[in-house]
Amino acid sequence: ATEAVLREGEPWLREVLDIIYGNFEYLKQRFLRECPSVKVTELEGTYLVWLDFSQICSNQEEVIELIQNKCKIAMDLGGWFGSEGGNTFARMNIATSRENVKEACDRIINALNSSK
């Protein structure tokens, strides 16, 4: 299997990377356009994107209330990684379908807009 991937896996890898980068661009543009108070960090060689909710939430409990309780989305919380400054961040996996990324964006943006 390793040999086959090394010989023939490049088209698959390129397709996956295109999907991930496309999802990142979609996510970034959606929040920039519709909810600029949520900052999307740049990709750093992975398929995990940090969302910065510091302009909306003041602590991890508020992020949990928004993401898990209101939006019903499972994300890693910044505070889990040991940095107190990360308590208002959540990490989103974008190695998925565009439909899933769109649904997550819809839920977050709708929840934030309905609380205004």
Side-chain angles (χ1 to χ4, degrees):
T2 301
E3 209 173 295
V5 166
L6 290 173
R7 279 191 213 164
E8 301 169 27
E10 189 164 340
W12 172 85
L13 178 60
R14 295 233 178 268
E15 184 179 340
V16 168
L17 292 174
D18 287 345
I19 290 168
I20 291 168
Y21 189 73
N23 284 342
F24 169 70
E25 285 298 319
Y26 175 84
L27 177 77
K28 187 169 72 169
Q29 292 306 314
R30 269 297 294 277
F31 281 104
L32 190 61
R33 196 173 53 248
E34 298 176 45
C35 195
S37 57
V38 175
K39 302 299 180 202
V40 178
T41 65
E42 291 299 317
L43 281 178
E44 294 181 349
T46 182
Y47 53 87
L48 301 168
V49 177
W50 287 105
L51 302 177
D52 177 0
F53 293 95
S54 62
Q55 292 184 21
I56 299 158
C57 302
S58 59
N59 55 51
Q60 185 167 284
E61 290 71 29
E62 290 179 10
V63 175
I64 291 169
E65 177 60 28
L66 171 65
I67 297 300
Q68 293 179 0
N69 299 338
K70 286 185 181 174
C71 299
K72 306 294 186 211
I73 300 173
M75 288 190 195
D76 295 333
L77 301 171
W80 295 352
F81 297 91
S83 169
E84 190 172 316
N87 284 337
T88 57
F89 284 75
R91 190 170 72 170
M92 183 179 190
N93 182 334
I94 59 169
T96 185
S97 69
R98 176 65 54 85
E99 292 79 24
N100 288 339
V101 174
K102 180 185 181 309
E103 177 71 22
C105 289
D106 290 346
R107 289 183 188 193
I108 295 168
I109 291 167
N110 289 339
L112 292 172
N113 287 338
S114 70
S115 66
K116 288 182 179 179

